[in-house]
Amino acid sequence: MGNSGRGLGQIEPFDDSNHEVRSLDMVFGGLTVDFTWQPTMMEDTRAHDENSSSADPQGAVVAHGAMDVMYSLEGKVHGKKIMINVTVPDLDHMELGLTLATVGSFDSRDLFDYTYRKESEGEGLVQDNHRGGNGDRQGERVSKSDGKYKISIEKYFSNDVANELVVLEVVLSLLHDVKSDEFSMSLGG
């Protein structure tokens, strides 16, 4: 499950055989995850608030931290574009949770925590803004094709915010079952 190519992250190996079995269980259930990143340059919009999030010219969220000053060059900062695509079958009842967190030597924190739910047959999979709403919802799209839902998320973060390792936790809750897994990706920081 690794990525290859210039500038893309590498999915970390499974911690143990139980972790691998949980991942395979989700794949056999029809859930797939594509988790990549690439380096980017972003507008430096910290002038208003040192720890703010704002939109870049394409409308994607840019999160900033105090250390960006070290990387600022002519109003631009170095950053990461993190891309997540999750595909899940169209089931009658389900709840899907996606949490992205940074894990670093000095700081660890959640970047977003999103929840999607479908409560009955005939309904669509919708964003649940009342639970798990941590994080700006820009750069996120839900679509349906061939009996599957695809959640696409593109987020931009400064190197200060996402510089070493990010972890994506995926939780799929069904009527009588909960499946979960974590995917770790090195950002080459």
Side-chain angles (χ1 to χ4, degrees):
M1 270 227 203
N3 302 312
S4 61
R6 200 173 123 217
L8 293 179
Q10 177 68 40
I11 298 294
E12 298 293 308
F14 293 111
D15 295 332
D16 55 35
S17 62
N18 288 333
H19 186 193
E20 187 171 5
V21 168
R22 285 192 315 268
S23 183
L24 288 171
D25 193 28
M26 289 182 115
V27 169
F28 291 136
L31 189 141
T32 62
V33 176
D34 182 28
F35 185 36
T36 59
W37 74 275
Q38 66 186 34
T40 189
M41 291 295 291
M42 306 176 304
E43 291 296 320
D44 185 0
T45 56
R46 286 177 298 105
H48 303 306
D49 180 355
E50 217 169 64
N51 292 308
S52 67
S53 291
S54 58
D56 77 346
Q58 290 82 36
V61 170
V62 180
H64 296 286
M67 295 299 290
D68 282 335
V69 174
M70 294 179 1
Y71 305 108
S72 186
L73 176 64
E74 296 180 16
K76 302 275 188 185
V77 293
H78 293 274
K80 309 272 190 311
K81 176 182 176 184
I82 296 177
M83 298 150 293
I84 301 166
N85 290 297
V86 177
T87 304
V88 62
D90 182 9
L91 305 172
D92 291 344
H93 304 276
M94 68 176 145
E95 182 174 291
L96 177 67
L98 303 174
T99 303
L100 183 68
T102 62
V103 179
S105 302
F106 301 108
D107 185 27
S108 298
R109 63 178 163 171
D110 285 354
L111 298 174
F112 66 74
D113 182 6
Y114 295 159
T115 303
Y116 307 86
R117 62 177 37 206
K118 181 178 177 188
E119 296 184 345
S120 65
E121 185 177 354
E123 279 188 12
L125 185 67
V126 296
Q127 301 166 344
D128 185 348
N129 293 320
H130 303 291
R131 281 187 60 199
N134 177 32
D136 192 319
R137 300 300 286 239
Q138 284 184 313
E140 162 191 31
R141 191 175 60 120
V142 178
S143 59
K144 183 179 174 187
S145 176
D146 299 324
K148 296 179 182 180
Y149 287 98
K150 182 177 182 179
I151 294 93
S152 301
I153 301 170
E154 287 187 358
K155 295 289 185 182
Y156 293 77
F157 300 99
S158 69
N159 281 347
D160 183 44
V161 173
N163 65 359
E164 292 181 34
L165 184 74
V166 287
V167 176
L168 176 66
E169 179 183 25
V170 179
V171 178
L172 179 62
S173 301
L174 307 171
L175 280 178
H176 303 289
D177 195 15
V178 175
K179 300 180 184 303
S180 66
D181 202 358
E182 288 186 350
F183 301 88
S184 299
M185 183 169 58
S186 173
L187 299 177

